[in-house]
Amino acid sequence: MFIQRGKVLLFGSHSTTARQLILRNKGTTIYKPLSSSSQCYYSNNKNSFLSNNNHRNFTTTTSDRGGAIIPNYSKEGEDIHLPPAEDPVGLQLYKKAIYCPVSRVLRTSAHVGTDHNGVTHRNMIVGTETTNDSDDITTIITPDEARNVYAYNSGLRLLSTIHKHLDGDMDRIEQVLNLTGIVNGQSGFTQHAYVIDGCSQVLVDALGNDHGIGTRACYGAGTLGGVVTCYL
C-alpha cells in the first residue's frame, strides 16, 4: 500500500520488523488499506496516539559536537548534543538510511560507536579479564565503558542520521520497532545486552519511553571493526 503524505496510519504488526522504525506522515485523514489482510489500526485524530510526547522537533542550533541539539525527555531541562550526520564511507555502495513510503518504515545501516572525541577504535574489545601477553596490542575495556561511551555514541550517531534523513522533523517517528546491537567481546563475554543498554538509553532519552523502546537483539562478533555497532 502507498501512504500519501498527509495520511495517518498505525501498524499493528508487520512482517519485516527487524531493523525498523515506524514513521507517520502529517495529517489526520483515515487511509483505507488495499488489502483486508493488512493488520493496521487507524485514527482520524492525530493526538489519539501521540501520547504526551508530540514535540520532538530538533532545534536549528548547532551542538558543541557539531550536530543538532534535541531535548532530553529522561532528564528535564537537559539537552542531547548530536554529532554531525555522516556520509557513507569507502566506495559508498550503501545508504546510511532508507525510507519506504509504502510501509512508512525507516531502516538504518550499522553505526559504529566512537569515543567522545568521535574516534573509532579498532583495537579494543570488551571484557573482564586482562591478558599477560606482552605481544597483544589489543586493549580490553570494561563493560561499563563500552556501555556509557561506545554504545551511547552509537545511539547518538543513529539519531543524527535519522534527523538528517527526516529533515529535522522527528515528530514523524511513531515507534522504534527493533534495535540490533553487536559487541566486540572477549572470548566468553556474555554481557552484550548490558553494553547495548547504552544505545537503548539514548533512544529513550530522545524519543521517550512510548516511542523509543522496541524489540532488541544483542550478540557478539570477534572481528567487528569497532567496539560496538548498532542499527535500527
Side-chain angles (χ1 to χ4, degrees):
M1 68 187 73
F2 181 80
I3 310 303
Q4 298 177 350
R5 187 167 183 83
K7 310 302 180 182
V8 175
L9 175 67
L10 288 180
F11 280 78
S13 64
H14 199 279
S15 60
T16 54
T17 58
R19 307 185 298 281
Q20 295 177 348
L21 187 104
I22 285 183
L23 304 180
R24 62 168 176 270
N25 291 315
K26 296 180 178 179
T28 58
T29 305
I30 296 177
Y31 184 79
K32 186 176 181 179
L34 298 181
S35 171
S36 59
S37 64
S38 300
Q39 300 182 39
C40 307
Y41 299 96
Y42 308 95
S43 173
N44 61 359
N45 180 357
K46 183 179 179 183
N47 294 325
S48 66
F49 59 86
L50 295 186
S51 69
N52 293 322
N53 188 9
N54 59 353
H55 299 289
R56 298 194 301 273
N57 286 324
F58 284 15
T59 68
T60 57
T61 307
T62 301
S63 77
D64 56 11
R65 303 190 65 171
I69 297 176
I70 65 174
N72 188 327
Y73 289 95
S74 298
K75 299 178 181 179
E76 186 175 354
E78 295 188 14
D79 292 322
I80 300 173
H81 289 242
L82 299 179
E86 301 173 5
D87 294 324
V89 298
L91 297 178
Q92 300 186 342
L93 300 178
Y94 68 99
K95 295 182 178 181
K96 300 291 285 188
I98 190 168
Y99 172 64
C100 175
V102 177
S103 63
R104 296 194 358 246
V105 170
L106 177 73
R107 295 177 175 89
T108 74
S109 294
H111 286 58
V112 176
T114 66
D115 64 17
H116 289 321
N117 294 317
V119 177
T120 300
H121 293 274
R122 306 183 186 280
N123 61 336
M124 289 184 178
I125 61 174
V126 186
T128 57
E129 298 180 4
T130 59
T131 177
N132 295 321
D133 187 354
S134 60
D135 295 330
D136 191 350
I137 61 173
T138 300
T139 301
I140 299 176
I141 64 172
T142 66
D144 285 337
E145 183 178 357
R147 169 183 174 167
N148 298 329
V149 178
Y150 295 94
Y152 181 86
N153 284 317
S154 176
L156 292 182
R157 295 185 66 216
L158 281 169
L159 288 172
S160 184
T161 292
I162 294 167
H163 171 265
K164 178 181 178 181
H165 200 82
L166 299 181
D167 295 323
D169 187 5
M170 299 300 281
D171 275 347
R172 292 183 65 194
I173 298 175
E174 177 59 33
Q175 181 65 53
V176 171
L177 289 181
N178 183 270
L179 168 67
T180 298
I182 310 170
V183 181
N184 190 355
Q186 194 176 29
S187 177
F189 182 73
T190 60
Q191 295 179 265
H192 306 91
Y194 177 81
V195 172
I196 301 303
D197 280 346
C199 183
S200 295
Q201 186 62 56
V202 174
L203 299 177
V204 170
D205 291 346
L207 304 173
N209 288 327
D210 291 339
H211 301 273
I213 297 178
T215 61
R216 194 175 76 171
C218 310
Y219 58 94
T223 58
L224 190 66
V227 178
V228 174
T229 190
C230 298
Y231 58 88
L232 292 165

